[in-house]
Amino acid sequence: MASTADIKNGVVLSIDGQLWNVIEFQHVKPGKGGAFVRTKLKNVVSGKVVDRTYNAGAKVDIENVDRRDFTYLYTDGDNFVFMDQEDYDQINVPAATVGDAKNFMLENQSVQIALNNGNPLYIELPASVVLEVTYTEPGLQGDRSSAGTKPATLETGYEIQVPLFLETGTKVKVDTRTGGYLGRIND
């Protein structure tokens, strides 16, 4: 058991049998009364975010989470197969654990997987990835005061909104957190 002094951003706590990732914390020492720690926690499985307050010195259960580099190999039914970059072991990760990360992963791409007792918890992608537009309608530039957007399908099958001037075959930079268009990549 650890105390509230050990709480830091990125630490995973076990609360009532569920794993919660500390997004942010603040140690508060008011002029009157005892000190306390205010935390914002994100459920590792469901993604639900809650605020929780602990008295200073209270005992918390910190889980050991190992973040390791893996390479995405291929999809096998409902599982995604990854290879550990250190010992070349392969693991199967269920689609539910991969979640929206599948929209931005190409074969042989490096990702980080958080493991708890050998079980994959979640996948961390780089902040942005470069993907090719496989299909988009031709954009017609007309009289408008602001730039327009149109849907475009990426090589992973994910659809995003892009500016009208982009064509099929263009490489674009995509934000993996929001799924938004960040810019065009010139080769």
Side-chain angles (χ1 to χ4, degrees):
M1 287 295 246
S3 73
T4 55
D6 298 319
I7 293 178
K8 295 176 179 54
N9 289 348
V11 168
V12 177
L13 304 176
S14 177
I15 303 170
D16 300 329
Q18 294 186 354
L19 297 176
W20 297 83
N21 196 358
V22 176
I23 298 172
E24 59 185 59
F25 74 100
Q26 180 181 22
H27 188 83
V28 180
K29 187 168 184 336
K32 194 174 189 179
F36 58 92
V37 177
R38 188 178 295 135
T39 62
K40 185 175 280 192
L41 306 171
K42 180 179 180 182
N43 190 306
V44 170
V45 177
S46 69
K48 179 180 174 184
V49 177
V50 298
D51 293 325
R52 189 148 184 178
T53 304
Y54 295 96
N55 290 329
K59 299 294 181 197
V60 291
D61 191 10
I62 294 180
E63 284 290 326
N64 182 23
V65 174
D66 185 23
R67 288 178 178 81
R68 295 170 56 183
D69 292 326
F70 284 82
T71 301
Y72 169 57
L73 297 178
Y74 58 90
T75 305
D76 183 21
D78 286 341
N79 290 326
F80 290 76
V81 180
F82 293 88
M83 179 182 67
D84 191 328
Q85 293 180 358
E86 288 180 21
D87 58 13
Y88 306 111
D89 284 345
Q90 292 184 8
I91 63 167
N92 290 329
V93 179
T97 304
V98 173
D100 290 337
K102 71 178 181 292
N103 297 327
F104 310 107
M105 288 189 321
L106 293 174
E107 292 181 358
N108 299 319
Q109 180 178 346
S110 293
V111 298
Q112 261 197 346
I113 299 180
L115 300 165
N116 175 259
N117 298 327
N119 297 325
L121 299 176
Y122 55 90
I123 292 178
E124 292 179 3
L125 293 172
S128 64
V129 293
V130 175
L131 297 170
E132 186 176 327
V133 174
T134 56
Y135 177 76
T136 187
E137 295 286 334
L140 299 174
Q141 196 67 20
D143 295 331
R144 61 174 62 90
S145 60
S146 64
T149 60
K150 62 182 178 179
T153 304
L154 302 175
E155 57 188 309
T156 60
Y158 187 65
E159 191 172 282
I160 64 170
Q161 292 293 319
V162 298
L164 292 173
F165 61 84
L166 285 182
E167 300 171 356
T168 300
T170 307
K171 291 191 182 233
V172 294
K173 193 175 202 178
V174 181
D175 188 333
T176 59
R177 297 167 300 227
T178 63
Y181 167 82
L182 292 176
R184 173 175 53 174
I185 302 297
N186 296 325
D187 289 334

